[in-house]
Amino acid sequence: MGGSTFGRLFKISTWGESHGKALGVVVDGCPAGVPLCEEDIQIYLDRRKPGQSVFSTKRNEADAVTILSGVFEGKTTGTPISMVVYNQDQHSKDYGDIAVCYRPGHADYCFDEKFGFRDYRGGGRSSGRETIGRVAAGAVAAKVLSTLGISFSAYTRSIGPHVIDYNHFDSSEIMKNSLYMPDKACAEAAADYLREVMTNLDSIGSSVECIISGVPAGVGEPVFDKLDALLAQALMSIGAVKAVEIGDGVAVSTALGSTNNDSFVAKDGQVSKTTNHAGGILGGISDGSDILVRASIKPTPSIYKEQHTVNSNLDEVDINIKGRHDPIIGPRAVVVVESMCAITILDLLMTNATSRIDNLAKIYS
């Protein structure tokens, strides 16, 4: 199976299945000398682990990480960093009834067609638990970027029809509610709505935004490896993400050039902008302002309502999916979105180090 590796210089390879013995990641290309310990990683993993609220799966996993290599005396060594999280509460018997049925909205049929085989226990590699490796690697990337003054603020923007009011945006609220929303009133309304959805044995879609601050102008390659293109690839690689927007996103399709263009001004001896419709990226290259990226996430496909499908014998059947499932994906995906953004930014920053001769001269002359 290909496609489990992402990045060029800062490269990650995730491994493991939802109901296997463990999941993890190998991070290659991390610079030596970065202070790093398991607690740095655990803080990120705790934000995505199950069982945190009534709105997440009741699968009881501590998601405790162990660093196996690449760190010595509290600092990275420059060699591959291998990290593992052992599964402890997988209930594989819950999936016996759907071993030969294709669950609507899942990758079951596609895996069978591609490989002639699939791990039906929780979806195997297509499970949301695969993101454990991404988050662990993202924690490493974010730690490196923090030394360069680059920070991330990710949050749930919308749940169903409930969208945050930017006039009430309060970043301190993000970690205060289980939905990770920066608008307290919206979070309360969305929670009531989610309870109604759960009562109806259904699930709901959502969106996640990430603001990346401190990225200098000039990051990103201008043709195929555009900064926005790679951010889109990174986020679209998350299983439930169905659309990605940068800045104003789809709204630009109805905008006028005169209002969509961001005017440049000179401020404090530097080039700045009066607005940020572009989301911090022009021509595939960062322009020095905040980068705004948004991911739209589909409803959890595993719902408790009866659904119509076919089995591997092409018999049409009705199924009731058992197991423990999130009624919404967005809140637990917030840290996944943030992690993939961090991995992408760091990889392109490292690539950018060779874009000008004076950069090399600072190192070697």
Side-chain angles (χ1 to χ4, degrees), residues 313-333:
N313 295 320
L314 299 185
D315 301 315
E316 294 195 22
V317 296
D318 293 320
I319 61 170
N320 289 99
I321 297 175
K322 299 178 182 179
R324 299 159 294 176
H325 310 287
D326 298 273
I328 184 172
I329 297 171
R332 289 182 62 204

Side-chain angles (χ1 to χ4, degrees), residues 142-156:
K143 189 71 183 290
V144 176
L145 292 170
S146 68
T147 66
L148 305 176
I150 297 172
S151 61
F152 300 81
S153 177
Y155 48 87
T156 304

Side-chain angles (χ1 to χ4, degrees), residues 221-283:
E221 304 303 312
V223 185
F224 295 114
D225 289 341
K226 289 179 169 68
L227 173 54
D228 41 2
L230 291 183
L231 283 171
Q233 179 189 350
L235 298 189
M236 286 294 289
S237 74
I238 300 170
V241 172
K242 302 302 291 184
V244 173
E245 299 175 85
I246 306 292
D248 284 0
V250 297
V252 302
S253 63
T254 57
L256 295 170
S258 56
T259 57
N260 182 68
N261 289 340
D262 300 310
S263 296
F264 288 107
V265 294
K267 184 179 180 180
D268 301 326
Q270 293 183 324
V271 174
S272 186
K273 300 188 307 182
T274 57
T275 54
N276 193 22
H277 299 295
I281 303 173
L282 292 167

Side-chain angles (χ1 to χ4, degrees), residues 3-246:
S4 292
T5 298
F6 182 77
R8 292 188 175 183
L9 297 183
F10 185 86
K11 185 182 299 185
I12 75 165
S13 297
T14 70
W15 55 268
E17 294 80 36
S18 175
H19 286 234
K21 290 185 177 181
L23 303 100
V25 64
V26 176
V27 177
D28 200 5
C30 180
V34 179
L36 188 71
C37 64
E38 288 167 351
E39 180 58 26
D40 295 324
I41 314 300
Q42 197 62 52
I43 290 172
Y44 276 70
L45 288 174
D46 285 349
R47 291 166 58 194
R48 72 148 304 281
K49 74 178 182 181
Q52 297 184 71
S53 75
V54 68
F55 304 125
S56 67
T57 171
K58 296 302 179 285
R59 180 167 174 169
N60 185 24
E61 296 279 5
D63 285 353
V65 67
T66 299
I67 298 176
L68 301 177
S69 66
V71 177
F72 180 65
E73 295 184 343
K75 292 185 178 181
T76 57
T77 62
T79 60
I81 302 170
S82 182
M83 295 175 279
V84 62
V85 170
Y86 291 98
N87 287 324
Q88 298 175 323
D89 189 36
Q90 59 270 53
H91 291 182
S92 299
K93 66 180 185 299
D94 290 341
Y95 296 87
D97 293 342
I98 52 90
V100 295
C101 294
Y102 299 131
R103 295 169 296 172
H106 280 276
D108 300 343
Y109 169 71
C110 302
F111 262 67
D112 260 359
E113 287 297 297
K114 180 174 179 63
F115 298 109
F117 172 84
R118 67 182 171 94
D119 184 347
Y120 59 83
R121 307 164 304 165
R125 283 293 283 167
S126 64
S127 167
R129 277 191 72 72
E130 180 272 336
T131 61
I132 282 175
R134 299 167 183 252
V135 172
V140 177
K143 189 71 183 290
V144 176
L145 292 170
S146 68
T147 66
L148 305 176
I150 297 172
S151 61
F152 300 81
S153 177
Y155 48 87
T156 304
R157 175 183 178 268
S158 67
I159 292 176
H162 297 277
V163 184
I164 62 171
D165 183 344
Y166 289 96
N167 293 319
H168 299 155
F169 191 101
D170 183 356
S171 59
S172 68
E173 279 292 329
I174 297 173
M175 302 300 292
K176 292 180 181 178
N177 62 80
S178 60
L179 300 178
Y180 295 103
M181 300 187 92
D183 178 349
K184 182 178 181 181
C186 186
E188 292 173 351
D192 290 339
Y193 175 73
L194 260 176
R195 292 186 184 95
E196 182 181 341
V197 168
M198 293 170 66
T199 299
N200 293 328
L201 305 180
D202 220 329
S203 62
I204 188 64
S206 53
S207 67
V208 171
E209 278 185 345
C210 184
I211 300 172
I212 311 169
S213 302
V215 178
V219 177
E221 304 303 312
V223 185
F224 295 114
D225 289 341
K226 289 179 169 68
L227 173 54
D228 41 2
L230 291 183
L231 283 171
Q233 179 189 350
L235 298 189
M236 286 294 289
S237 74
I238 300 170
V241 172
K242 302 302 291 184
V244 173
E245 299 175 85
I246 306 292

